Amino acid sequence: MEIEKLVHQPHQYSLVEILKSTPAVQEGLTSLEAENRLHADGPNVFPTKKPRPLWRIFLGQFASPLIYILLAAGGIALAIGDTRDALFVAIILLINSIIGTTQEKGAQNSALALTRMAETKSMVLRDGYQIEIPSEEIVVGDIVFLESGNKVPADLRLLSSQSLEVDESLLTGESLTVIKEADGVFEEHASLGDRKNMAFTGSLVVRGRATGLVTAVGLQSELGKIVNSLNSEESAGTPLLIRMKKLTHKIAIALLAVTALMALLLFLKGYGYYEVLVFSVALAVSAIPEGLPVALTVALSVASRRMAKRNVIVRKLPAVEALGSCTYIATDKTGTLTVNQMTVQKIVNPEGEEVMVPGSGLDPGKEKLQALHVEELIRCGVLCNEAQLSFHDNKWAGHGDAVDLAFLVLGEKAQIKSPGAGSSIAEIPFEPEHQFAAVLHEASANERILSVKGAVEKLLPMCESMLVKGHKHSIKPDVILQQADKLAEAGYRVLALAGATMKATVGKIENPPAGLVFYGLVGMIDPLRPEAAKAVMQCQRAGIRVSMVTGDHPKTSLAIARELGLAQSMDEVVSGPALKQAQSEEELSRLILNGRVFARVEPQQKLQIVQHLTKNGFFVAVTGDGANDAPALKAANVGVAMGLSGTDVAKETADLIVADDRFSSIVAGVEQGRIVYNNLRKVVYLLISTAAAEILVFILSFIFDTPMPLTAAQILWLNLVTNGIQDIGLAFEPGEGDELDHRPRKPKEPVFDRLMMERVILSAVVIGGMGYWYFHQLIQSGVGIEAARNDLLLFLVIFENLMLGNCRSEEKSIFKLNPLRNKFLLGGAILAQGIHILAMYTPGLGSLLEIGPVPIAEWAHMFAMALVVLVVIEVHKLIKARGIKAQLASS
Ligand code: ADP
Ligand code: MG
């Protein structure tokens, strides 16, 4: 194979040599050949770091200072010969780490599945067809098509290029974009940055189009040579998680101080050295909510799985909760709010004659269009085109830009055929920042035609005359602009078309083109997504401001915004040029804060909009698809890339990817984000309030000089059967259904707010107070210490499991929450309770824990008393609900 020779340093061969030795330029590889090569060379990937093996995850569970203390305590117990407690510590540790391991493994698996969903695809030429394949299936010898926004999937020797600019910073460190061209030969040892006829793996196409021959894949590529493994991005934890961890640290330190103090006092009271040590360690461990980090991680990974079900793919875990607290969504129009299925419905020629075009979608139908006086216009739209329309298996299928496809369908209707890809001499590809496209074609031996289409304001200055009944007339820009306005007001996307004939010696297109003949305007419809209006309304109810940012005409955008209920009048529309004319930062801020629709906006201005919004206190989510949207996606609090229409560049910088491009999916994501935050609060409430209750029992027994209410083993046990699995169960809570009826929380709002404080104190006082009081009564009435502890332990187990009923909602009554909605939680609570009962009746375990059976009447009595904690919190919920209502009424 000659290609084997070329793949070594391909930049030193001229394009002619390359083309000569690559017989497959027209057809690409056959799929058989490609498959063989894939087998021989392996997939086009870098080996990723292996996920942590199970045993390491398991051992990782022991890497915590709290566990060290516990281990030390177990060691001491063993040394003294107290095998019972040592054994118990070992069992508790084992159970804890099994729970932790299964949860972490689950989170790891779902993270892996999510990265798979975000893999990239590439356009290649195979068997004579352009097809899209997963980038990892690319092999040496493939012909790859590049366009702006692509990530270069393999090392390519360019075969053709149009205004190609790439960002090679990953490879060369050079942050400026580099112009690349297929022509040119470079010496063998030229540095990578100087090999201008190559595009290297991992570079980003910032502008232009190109085709290239794959010369190296995977680890053989230049990037592969310098990075041996692509580290899967280790997430540093979300801001909320970090804040929560800090909070638990603070609580832990406070509790440790209390414990130390109590240990000292116990010591002074005459307890033995070892007794005090084991007791204080056990108390500290039970008081520290060590389950919190695991439960929080689980809550976030549950949320990211739920989001994936709603078509929101989480790329960076912090975005899960961030999306829940966003107060502003700046969204694209085309494809997000609309279906991005364009159809030319109206053609207006320069004279003002209108032609209605029947049909919609990709199917041109049977009816032939009478294209009198607009033939030139239609040909222009078909020539200046990058899309492909084909008829396969009785179905019309399209690939490429929706606007371009609409022109191909129009061409079919008027029976004007496309000359096919690759027949052009020069091109200026469409980029949102220019808002036009131009193509130069061979018409005959001594003539070439230039075809240009784009935004009407962009094209008019390029035109010198207009075409009326086959003759050039002087152009009337005002009249044309009025026609365009009329189309736009009716909600049509407006495109202008123009062209020129040129001498055969002309090989390049001036940028911008000049001296064109104006052919007319078309109006395209792009239907709204049926669910979009409802989603916009949901946002408004949820206290989130929505604005539309688009490159389209202001009036078209307003018409669509009206349908969505997003804006009503032109006052709410801000145009890109108006932003440019703003005199000061203040004026710019004012414009941006007032805008509901941003039209004729260039991608760079999106960044400006986002920056002003965040500066003014909004927590902003912004959508993007193009290569130039990356800065805005990065600057926003939550960057959302489109999964279908989005470019690799956009997806790579985004925090979230919306797989189906729909605006409504973003709103579903917001809902999930709010649910996860609420669940985190529920977990915190359970863990902190029960820990505080336990501490209180000890403090009271200390103050009133009763014997130690629970042994060390019992405290550890209590922790296990009341928190061990229930906290994770709370992390699985489904939404309460009204998440989108509330205003967004403030991003910096502390988890431990006033409500949380009141609830924790109330619950701790009820459980701790009643628990101690009951214990005290038993001791007073002459019951032995062992029996009293047995009763107290059962009492606390019942209390703390009932607390779950309080934790499930901050506002809603327990009676309004169906316990079956969270089977995991219900099952977990029943299981834990059952284990405790089982332990009471199992002689061996019972004696280990110093517990035993309790008469049923006693049981019922305790249960009835424990209900008090539900009643108290229910009343508190009622009072709060009243308070909120009163506040709403007075405001
Ligand atoms: P958006 O995606 O926000 O709706 P675009 O940036 O795609 O807007 O388009 C902005 C304008 O550029 C359109 O109103 C149209 O005039 C022009 N335009 C869009 N697509 C093409 C295309 N394929 N060729 C030429 N001009 C186009
Ligand atoms: Mg677009």
Side-chain angles (χ1 to χ4, degrees), residues 810-821:
E810 283 185 18
E811 290 169 2
K812 290 199 194 63
S813 156
I814 183 172
F815 301 110
K816 293 204 178 125
L817 300 165
N818 180 354
L820 293 177
R821 282 250 292 161

Side-chain angles (χ1 to χ4, degrees), residues 424-549:
S424 66
I425 295 159
E427 289 165 28
I428 301 177
F430 173 74
E431 302 284 357
E433 52 187 297
H434 302 133
Q435 298 185 341
F436 77 91
V439 180
L440 186 65
H441 276 96
E442 187 94 48
S444 65
N446 44 22
E447 223 179 45
R448 294 186 167 174
I449 40 178
L450 176 63
S451 314
V452 184
K453 70 180 195 317
V456 61
E457 310 95 286
K458 292 280 163 184
L459 254 70
L460 280 179
M462 304 173 189
C463 294
E464 226 165 41
S465 57
M466 60 188 202
L467 198 68
V468 178
K469 301 207 172 79
H471 299 286
K472 288 185 196 172
H473 284 232
S474 60
I475 191 163
K476 297 184 197 122
D478 298 347
V479 178
I480 294 168
L481 279 175
Q482 267 173 25
Q483 292 167 353
D485 267 11
K486 221 178 99 196
L487 282 174
E489 270 161 26
Y492 288 112
R493 169 176 268 227
V494 184
L495 265 95
L497 297 105
T501 49
M502 311 205 141
K503 288 199 214 79
T505 47
V506 177
K508 272 199 345 218
I509 309 173
E510 283 177 75
N511 196 355
L516 305 182
V517 185
F518 180 73
Y519 296 144
L521 302 168
V522 301
M524 297 185 178
I525 50 154
D526 177 16
L528 275 188
R529 288 188 182 277
E531 70 290 339
K534 189 179 148 215
V536 167
M537 220 169 66
Q538 276 178 322
C539 286
Q540 282 159 354
R541 219 181 39 218
I544 303 168
R545 238 168 92 166
V546 181
S547 74
M548 184 162 99
V549 184

Side-chain angles (χ1 to χ4, degrees), residues 102 176 202 400 446 539 700:
T102 42
L176 292 177
N446 44 22
C539 286
L700 289 175

Side-chain angles (χ1 to χ4, degrees), residues 566-743:
L566 206 63
Q568 297 312 326
S569 73
M570 217 51 202
D571 307 338
E572 293 163 297
V573 180
V574 179
S575 75
L579 289 178
K580 271 192 194 150
Q581 281 159 16
Q583 296 297 330
S584 62
E585 286 290 299
E586 288 76 51
E587 193 187 341
L588 203 56
S589 265
R590 197 174 44 75
L591 276 175
I592 289 172
L593 291 180
N594 284 338
R596 286 290 186 280
V597 174
F598 298 91
R600 281 291 188 247
V601 166
E602 292 171 20
Q604 298 89 303
Q605 294 183 307
K606 216 179 206 178
L607 173 65
Q608 216 175 20
I609 294 173
V610 167
Q611 283 170 337
H612 277 267
L613 289 172
T614 48
K615 210 170 66 188
N616 280 286
F618 282 106
F619 200 80
V620 184
V622 70
T623 70
D625 50 9
N628 298 319
D629 288 339
L633 290 175
K634 230 182 254 170
N637 300 94
V638 189
V640 183
M642 295 298 131
L644 299 175
S645 63
T647 56
D648 302 338
V649 178
K651 287 182 194 167
E652 204 134 285
T653 35
D655 304 302
L656 301 171
I657 298 174
V658 177
D660 60 1
D661 286 14
R662 291 165 193 253
F663 180 73
S664 57
S665 298
I666 304 174
V667 181
V670 170
E671 187 179 7
Q672 289 302 328
R674 291 186 177 186
I675 291 174
V676 69
Y677 179 75
N678 292 346
N679 286 356
L680 293 180
R681 283 181 61 100
K682 290 169 192 177
V683 172
V684 169
Y685 174 40
L686 175 74
L687 294 182
I688 306 289
S689 60
T690 53
E694 287 159 30
I695 290 271
L696 187 62
V697 173
F698 278 89
I699 292 178
L700 289 175
S701 78
F702 188 82
I703 293 172
F704 295 108
D705 210 18
T706 28
M708 267 208 303
L710 294 173
T711 69
Q714 284 170 341
I715 298 173
L716 287 167
W717 177 260
L718 175 64
N719 223 21
L720 188 72
V721 295
T722 58
N723 291 347
I725 186 100
Q726 289 88 328
D727 53 354
I728 291 167
L730 279 177
F732 274 93
E733 272 288 294
E736 293 173 31
D738 59 355
E739 281 75 15
L740 290 181
D741 297 336
H742 294 262
R743 301 198 58 74

Side-chain angles (χ1 to χ4, degrees), residues 834-864:
I835 288 176
H836 184 67
I837 295 167
L838 210 66
M840 288 162 72
Y841 285 89
T842 309
L845 196 55
S847 68
L848 186 68
L849 272 173
E850 299 173 68
I851 58 176
V854 169
I856 198 82
E858 185 88 44
W859 201 299
H861 181 209
M862 282 188 223
F863 188 80

Side-chain angles (χ1 to χ4, degrees), residues 4 18 64 69 73 82 154 229 254 366 391 414 429 454 457 463 521 539 546 590 642 647 724 773 819 872 874 891:
E4 256 74 75
I18 296 273
S64 132
I69 299 176
D82 185 353
S229 77
K366 297 268 181 291
F391 189 68
E457 310 95 286
C463 294
L521 302 168
C539 286
V546 181
R590 197 174 44 75
M642 295 298 131
T647 56
W773 167 80
V872 169
E874 280 291 306
S891 71

Side-chain angles (χ1 to χ4, degrees), residues 176-187:
L176 292 177
T177 62
V178 194
I179 296 172
K180 296 272 182 172
E181 270 180 16
D183 303 321
V185 176
F186 301 91
E187 63 163 289

